Amino acid sequence: MEHLTLKGLVIRETDFGDSDRYISVLTESGRRIEVLCKGVRRRGGRMINAVRLFCYSELTLYAGRGGKYTLTQADLIASFWGVTESMETYALCCYLAELVGHMTDTEEDSPAATRLLLYALRAVADQKRDRLLVKAALELRLMAESGYAPDWSACSACGQALQDIWFSPRDGVCRCAACAARLGTPGYVHLLPATFSAFSHILMQEIPRVYAFALSGPARLQLAQIGEAYALCRAERGFDSLTFYHSLEPEGGIPSTWGART
């Protein structure tokens, strides 16, 4: 049992009792921890603004037995509460936080996951990027950082180099045009050149540059659908927050024929 100080992003909050709160925190190192914040909601409480959803703060915690943490001090570093100005943006960020929380662990570091979410929140809060593309970029890069990078080194059927690419969001592999014609394309998507370029950018750029791209027209929608399908297949579950987001913003939802959970 000890005290420790760390930096982390609040990705979930649950109020209970008259003045207490539980928060899920994604630490700077990429671990997910649960923290009990006693009395923070009392009138005049000095720490409440540091333990709100989408706040990145320096937290001093008492580490008890069984991996349980209790807050003793909190200082706000940055707030992304601006995402609440739009219900669609807020719903999207809730989904992104839930997805990242699901793909991270309480015992294993994943600093890239934290950085990806922080940059995504900044991009949509500042309204500098298309939120549909931010969503797709986080979904695709998060899966890659979690060990699920797609394989497009060669055709999964014949092993030949790829030019005209058919991609399976369910399996994360590609087929060349000849094998697509020979074997069929159930569950495969014929990638537009602009979609493939954006896909490559997302997977290969340094994290601060992941969201620095633009797409329009059919390629924009195709990337959004691929990102969502790929993430749901790797996560092996659906998300209530995603369902709520699509009730507000149906654009970019995946076709049922792609084999992903919704």
Side-chain angles (χ1 to χ4, degrees), residues 29-91:
S29 66
R31 294 196 183 198
R32 189 185 71 254
I33 62 174
E34 306 297 321
V35 179
L36 171 61
C37 308
K38 293 183 177 179
V40 294
R41 292 164 45 232
R42 293 194 185 106
R43 187 171 182 177
R46 57 189 175 81
M47 295 188 292
I48 186 64
N49 288 330
V51 293
R52 299 173 68 192
L53 185 64
F54 303 136
C55 286
Y56 187 66
S57 302
E58 183 173 85
L59 308 173
T60 300
L61 309 173
Y62 175 74
R65 295 174 180 172
K68 296 182 178 180
Y69 298 92
T70 302
L71 184 73
T72 61
Q73 178 62 39
D75 296 293
L76 181 66
I77 297 173
S79 170
F80 299 97
W81 199 241
V83 301
T84 63
E85 293 179 4
S86 160
M87 182 60 74
E88 292 82 0
T89 301
Y90 173 70

Side-chain angles (χ1 to χ4, degrees), residues 80 83 121-129:
F80 299 97
V83 301
L121 292 174
R122 174 67 70 193
V124 296
D126 293 347
Q127 300 182 10
K128 293 181 178 179
R129 302 291 176 189

Side-chain angles (χ1 to χ4, degrees), residues 245-256:
Y245 167 69
H246 277 313
S247 73
L248 302 170
E249 180 56 84
E251 186 181 32
I254 57 176
S256 59

Side-chain angles (χ1 to χ4, degrees), residues 1-195:
M1 294 183 287
E2 61 178 347
H3 283 84
L4 69 156
T5 299
L6 52 80
K7 295 176 182 178
L9 175 70
V10 180
I11 59 173
R12 185 179 180 184
E13 60 181 13
T14 304
D15 294 340
F16 69 100
D18 293 331
S19 59
D20 299 334
R21 171 175 291 174
Y22 270 116
I23 57 173
S24 297
V25 175
L26 189 64
T27 69
E28 185 178 32
S29 66
R31 294 196 183 198
R32 189 185 71 254
I33 62 174
E34 306 297 321
V35 179
L36 171 61
C37 308
K38 293 183 177 179
V40 294
R41 292 164 45 232
R42 293 194 185 106
R43 187 171 182 177
R46 57 189 175 81
M47 295 188 292
I48 186 64
N49 288 330
V51 293
R52 299 173 68 192
L53 185 64
F54 303 136
C55 286
Y56 187 66
S57 302
E58 183 173 85
L59 308 173
T60 300
L61 309 173
Y62 175 74
R65 295 174 180 172
K68 296 182 178 180
Y69 298 92
T70 302
L71 184 73
T72 61
Q73 178 62 39
D75 296 293
L76 181 66
I77 297 173
S79 170
F80 299 97
W81 199 241
V83 301
T84 63
E85 293 179 4
S86 160
M87 182 60 74
E88 292 82 0
T89 301
Y90 173 70
L92 171 61
C93 292
C94 287
Y95 160 63
L96 297 181
E98 187 178 7
L99 177 64
V100 173
H102 175 71
M103 298 302 297
T104 50
D105 193 81
T106 59
E107 298 181 355
E108 185 174 344
D109 290 344
S110 181
T114 303
R115 296 182 70 207
L116 279 168
L117 184 54
L118 285 170
Y119 277 105
L121 292 174
R122 174 67 70 193
V124 296
D126 293 347
Q127 300 182 10
K128 293 181 178 179
R129 302 291 176 189
D130 182 338
R131 62 175 175 242
L132 197 65
L133 298 182
V134 170
K135 173 179 174 291
L138 183 139
E139 289 167 330
L140 292 168
R141 184 60 177 264
L142 176 65
M143 296 306 120
E145 295 289 350
S146 301
Y148 300 110
D151 182 7
W152 55 35
S153 58
C155 174
S156 62
C158 69
Q160 297 299 310
L162 293 162
Q163 294 184 11
D164 193 23
I165 301 173
W166 290 78
F167 177 68
S168 168
R170 181 187 58 220
D171 299 323
V173 297
C174 297
R175 287 180 181 171
C176 65
C179 288
R182 178 170 58 89
L183 300 173
T185 57
Y188 280 75
V189 185
H190 188 201
L191 294 186
L192 298 169
T195 305

